[in-house]
Amino acid sequence: MLPLPVLALAAAWSHAFPLSGGQCGEQQHAALMHTTMSRRLAVLVVLLSLLSNGQAQVLLQQRQPSLTKRTSSTAVIDCKVEGIDDFQGAYIHWYRHIPSRAPERLLYVTSTAQISYDKDSYKDKYHSSKRGKNTCTLSVKDIREDDEGTYYCAYWQSQSGYYYKVFGTGTKLIVSDKGNSKPENSEILQTKHKDQLLYVCLIENFYPEVIRVQWVDEANKEVTKNVIKGDVWKSTNDKYSVSTWLTLPGNTTNKNYYCKYDHESQENFKLSIQDSSETPSQEEYCSTYSGNSTVFYKDYLMHKAAHLVYLVLLLKSSMYYVIVLFFIYRMRTPAKLPGKKT
């Protein structure tokens, strides 16, 4: 994950524009369309100055990766805001994103705690309020299947008259009668290869499939170097599993690392690599682990192998298709009859 200053800089380059504080979203969009290169350069100067001054950046965090709700019930989504001095006076926006569609703004809460809806029909569906010192909530009432999607909170951050939008991490609303179930097994396996240590964080059989997994150090800072994140895949009984790898030098002994995950059923759960004291050989790691871990690894290999076979078959079918088209073209092309040249 990129640091906030880098994200802010990228957002400013593509979206920054000068506005007065009272302009609404439509005016902001119109101003964005007329942004010139000189203004963009000015934005970069402002942001570089901001970074050099060490001023705080706004951060919006949504602790719930997902919410699974039955039809006709109500979902309440939280958004924790950091870096805003006057939270009660801030404008907090809420968006919904459905795959294959552009994000759609639903409403925003004004400084007077009043709600401004983008459509009148949303008044009976959505409600938003500010709670405590830094939490804004969105309520989705009388849930139906078409309410599924990922909901984001957002805030327009300004610096010297320039604005760019900061989004939260998102919460996916899932409409289902299944509820949620926490992972049946979670552990860290390890192996040593040459002068490196490989740690595999295995999280098995959870529902729904939405999960946030990351490696963190002792200071709870995310580790991104030498990390590979695997895809979530369906394992057994309509449940899901995921894995992530961390590679460290073989002489790493003075630091603790943790596999941290957030799931609807279990938030901020940590596994320590120190809990797994033995370092088995590569053969042991792949073959002699008992219990769920062996099943997991075979399941994972089968998943990846099936994916590879699918790609190979797809490639072969494409080649056959090209060959068939070539022969059809040759058959339809009239042959030249022998005769004298004119």
Side-chain angles (χ1 to χ4, degrees), residues 10-17 28 32 35 40 43 156 163-165:
W13 175 258
S14 56
H15 298 296
F17 45 91
Q28 293 173 343
L32 172 59
T35 301
R40 291 173 182 245
V43 170
W156 281 104
Y163 287 76
Y164 57 95
K165 186 159 284 188

Side-chain angles (χ1 to χ4, degrees), residues 64-222:
Q64 308 142 302
S66 64
L67 276 177
T68 304
K69 292 291 182 179
R70 292 183 170 87
T71 55
S72 303
S73 63
T74 298
V76 180
I77 300 172
D78 292 342
C79 175
K80 184 179 179 181
V81 181
E82 297 179 359
I84 300 178
D85 294 332
D86 182 16
F87 170 70
Q88 295 300 329
Y91 284 52
I92 306 298
H93 306 250
W94 283 97
Y95 286 77
R96 183 178 72 155
H97 179 235
I98 299 175
S100 75
R101 298 185 189 177
E104 174 193 18
R105 191 178 68 173
L106 306 173
L107 57 88
Y108 63 90
V109 184
T110 68
S111 57
T112 56
Q114 295 180 345
I115 306 172
S116 178
Y117 294 91
D118 282 48
K119 294 181 181 179
D120 290 337
S121 59
Y122 290 163
K123 293 180 179 180
D124 295 329
K125 170 64 67 173
Y126 306 108
H127 178 77
S128 184
S129 62
K130 294 178 180 178
R131 188 179 66 216
K133 296 181 179 180
N134 62 350
T135 301
C136 185
T137 64
L138 174 71
S139 299
V140 185
K141 297 177 285 186
D142 191 21
I143 292 175
R144 301 174 302 184
E145 289 186 359
D146 58 1
D147 289 321
E148 281 197 347
T150 304
Y151 292 77
Y152 295 89
C153 55
Y155 172 75
W156 281 104
Q157 183 168 7
S158 65
Q159 178 65 29
S160 301
Y162 292 89
Y163 287 76
Y164 57 95
K165 186 159 284 188
V166 179
F167 283 89
T169 46
T171 298
K172 184 175 182 179
L173 177 61
I174 300 171
V175 182
S176 173
D177 294 332
K178 293 182 180 180
N180 61 68
S181 58
K182 66 180 182 180
E184 296 177 5
N185 179 62
S186 56
E187 59 184 320
I188 296 178
L189 303 179
Q190 57 177 298
T191 184
K192 189 171 184 179
H193 180 66
K194 295 182 180 180
D195 58 345
Q196 290 184 324
L197 290 173
L198 173 64
Y199 297 96
V200 183
C201 180
L202 311 177
I203 306 169
E204 304 177 84
N205 300 331
F206 53 86
Y207 184 85
E209 71 276 15
V210 184
I211 191 169
R212 295 174 186 154
V213 186
Q214 58 183 183
W215 289 95
V216 296
D217 59 16
E218 296 170 318
N220 204 35
K221 182 179 179 181
E222 183 178 6

Side-chain angles (χ1 to χ4, degrees), residues 8-26:
L9 189 60
W13 175 258
S14 56
H15 298 296
F17 45 91
L19 296 170
S20 60
Q23 287 182 300
C24 63
E26 289 75 16

